[in-house]
Amino acid sequence: MPYFNPVWLMHINTPMHRRVLRIALPMVAAAISAPLPGIVDTALLGHLEDVRYLSAVAAGTTALGLLIWTFSFLRMGTTSVTAQALGAQDDPRNRLVLAQSLMLAIAIGLLLVVLQTPALELILAAIAPPPESAALALSYCSIRILGAPATLGTFCLIGWLIGNQKARLTLALMLITNVTNIVLDLIFILGLDLHSDGAAWASLIAEYWGFALGLWLAFGLQARLAGSLQPSQLRQLHRYRSLFTVNGHLLIRTACLVFAFAFFTASGARQGAEVLAANAILMELFFLLAFALDGFAHAAEALTGHAVGARDSETFYAVCRTTCLWGIAIAGAVTALYLVFSVPVIGLFTDIPEVVATAARFFPWLAIIPLVAVGGFMFDGIFLGAGRTRPMLYIMLVAVFLIFIPVWYATRTLGNHGLWLAFVIFMASRTLMMGAAFAWISRRGWTRDSAEA
């Protein structure tokens, strides 16, 4: 396919659907399970009499996002390079990628633990949670940050499993970790009455348990690969080139995205505890959508990366077409569900009357997002698998700093409605710009020099 033609979206390739679903369905289940601990935290704390615990976790989660989720590029970069190594049938490279990624992840995690106090205080000051929630938020973060090495290491393990198309093992790892977190939530929050600190301890223990399980799974799979890892390879800087190129772009791109979410939370926090709590509930529902779409984006990453590694242009476009079709179908279904069941859904999270009323007032904005954001999610998977991370970086910079923030400041008089309007436009702009970039790269060819693009 020498150039982009929208007609290809209508072509059905049944074998490719089966191939995509073999990866996507377990990843959708795994992805949906990912926000469940956060949803349980929100639901348990939201039903306490005092809203400050829910606000504290909302602010604390955002602060940790700036420190931890900024480095989620470790998962994405590992997936991209691993998938291409698998497509090229390069077992030594496949094995080396994981070792390199884990070394980098653990080093960054330990550094975050060492620098936690000034970093957390600075970020929480910028978020500016209500005074009654600030101390609780800092305590929550101080516990959770101890799990940074395990969390970042697990990012790499999940990325490596996805890149090797081991979706069922990824599902098992994430389900066991998240179920552990939920069980510990019930014990620490309800049983031991530890409130927001209990949510933090539950997450910390679950993170290390998940990391240990992931290492065991990965080592078992590596035993089946040809060759062996030579320790000297880990000291040869030229072997890190492709990983560092991809991760460098993704680091800045992810930092911009995390900043956008932190900016959103901080802007809502300055409008009061009820708005902060209501936005936290709506964002949990947004992340539920995001993780569901990510299941198909992960399939796109693994399969487009494999196609690029094998220099198979026909398969590459078949993957793009199939994952986009499924993404659109999921987005439409989620929008319909949100419109019909908005009130019952809010009630699952909280019974505090002020928060319920506030969340209901802004719920229509949430219902719009799946339709305008789906393209961005699907293109993320395609670009990432193909190693085209530079356009991802540039588009995110434009969307955050030239669209989202200016639109918010132009609509501040609308209050939280203006904030959600800016967020919707931000998501829509990513879809449009990435669609244009996809068409442009299609004219040049996706399977040539992808790592440097």
Side-chain angles (χ1 to χ4, degrees):
M1 180 176 173
Y3 59 87
F4 172 70
N5 183 346
V7 173
W8 66 230
L9 190 62
M10 304 308 297
H11 178 70
I12 302 298
N13 183 330
T14 300
M16 180 54 67
H17 276 279
R18 288 197 293 266
R19 206 175 153 193
V20 166
L21 290 175
R22 274 198 300 268
I23 298 175
L25 290 182
M27 291 312 306
V28 167
I32 290 175
S33 78
L36 289 181
I39 291 173
V40 171
D41 287 346
T42 303
L44 293 177
L45 297 172
H47 284 86
L48 299 178
E49 294 182 359
D50 197 333
V51 72
R52 66 193 176 111
Y53 296 115
L54 178 57
S55 298
V57 170
T61 300
T62 302
L64 285 169
L66 286 172
L67 287 178
I68 299 295
W69 286 99
T70 297
F71 298 100
S72 64
F73 71 84
L74 292 165
R75 197 283 302 164
M76 296 182 284
T78 304
T79 298
S80 178
V81 180
T82 301
Q84 292 183 37
L86 181 67
Q89 300 182 4
D90 188 348
D91 280 1
R93 180 62 179 151
N94 195 334
R95 184 192 302 276
L96 181 61
V97 168
L98 179 58
Q100 291 173 329
S101 297
L102 285 174
M103 286 181 60
L104 183 60
I106 293 172
I108 294 172
L110 291 173
L111 184 62
L112 291 177
V113 173
V114 171
L115 299 177
Q116 63 171 288
T117 300
L120 291 174
E121 290 179 350
L122 179 63
I123 295 171
L124 286 172
I127 294 174
E132 63 272 17
S133 302
L136 291 171
L138 180 59
S139 177
Y140 174 87
C141 291
S142 298
I143 297 169
R144 284 287 309 274
I145 195 66
L146 299 176
T151 303
L152 299 186
T154 303
F155 286 165
C156 298
L157 292 165
I158 289 174
W160 189 78
L161 290 172
I162 294 172
N164 280 293
Q165 302 182 24
K166 302 298 182 182
R168 292 181 181 179
L169 289 180
T170 308
L171 170 60
L173 172 59
M174 295 181 68
L175 277 180
I176 292 171
T177 302
N178 292 323
V179 168
T180 300
N181 197 335
I182 291 171
V183 171
L184 292 174
D185 271 335
L186 295 172
I187 294 172
F188 291 153
I189 297 175
L190 294 184
L192 300 179
D193 202 26
L194 295 178
H195 303 133
S196 51
D197 278 358
W201 282 113
S203 297
L204 176 65
I205 295 170
E207 284 160 1
Y208 275 101
W209 163 235
F211 183 50
L213 178 60
L215 285 173
W216 179 72
L217 292 173
F219 289 157
L221 289 172
Q222 287 222 340
R224 305 176 188 176
L225 298 178
S228 60
L229 178 66
Q230 301 299 321
S232 61
Q233 295 176 324
L234 296 175
R235 299 191 296 270
Q236 297 170 352
L237 293 181
H238 71 276
R239 294 182 179 275
Y240 290 81
R241 182 183 176 189
S242 59
L243 190 64
F244 280 173
T245 298
V246 169
N247 281 340
H249 297 153
L250 292 174
L251 168 61
I252 303 172
R253 178 258 182 197
T254 306
C256 291
L257 181 60
V258 171
F259 171 81
F261 284 111
F263 183 88
F264 181 96
T265 300
S267 299
R270 293 186 177 92
Q271 300 178 58
E274 286 77 17
V275 170
L276 174 61
N279 282 353
I281 291 172
L282 298 181
M283 270 297 166
E284 287 292 348
L285 290 168
F286 167 77
F287 289 135
L288 189 63
L289 162 73
F291 284 119
L293 290 176
D294 271 346
F296 283 89
H298 292 334
E301 291 173 31
L303 294 175
T304 56
H306 188 280
V308 167
R311 297 293 190 262
D312 185 348
S313 180
E314 182 179 351
T315 297
F316 174 85
Y317 285 108
V319 172
C320 296
R321 177 172 56 247
T322 306
T323 52
C324 284
L325 283 170
W326 279 103
I328 292 169
I330 291 172
V334 170
T335 289
L337 290 172
Y338 281 170
L339 289 173
V340 173
F341 298 108
S342 59
V343 174
V345 166
I346 296 172
L348 293 175
F349 289 90
T350 183
D351 54 7
I352 300 172
E354 296 83 358
V355 178
V356 171
T358 303
R361 192 159 66 250
F362 302 111
F363 204 94
W365 291 110
L366 178 68
I368 296 171
I369 288 177
L371 299 179
V372 302
V374 58
F377 283 98
M378 295 301 103
F379 284 127
D380 274 348
I382 292 167
F383 279 63
L384 181 59
R388 300 282 182 164
T389 50
R390 192 185 301 275
M392 295 175 68
L393 165 60
Y394 293 156
I395 289 169
M396 186 61 71
L397 286 169
V398 171
V400 173
F401 295 105
L402 297 184
I403 296 176
F404 176 45
I405 294 177
V407 170
W408 159 235
Y409 279 110
T411 60
R412 288 181 69 182
T413 56
L414 299 176
N416 206 43
H417 283 295
L419 183 59
W420 278 99
L421 172 62
F423 188 74
V424 168
I425 293 175
F426 162 64
M427 286 291 169
S429 70
R430 287 189 62 242
T431 293
L432 294 175
M433 287 188 287
M434 294 195 77
F438 181 90
W440 183 76
I441 297 173
S442 293
R443 294 179 182 276
R444 303 176 62 197
W446 283 86
T447 58
R448 297 197 304 270
D449 302 323
S450 62
E452 301 299 326

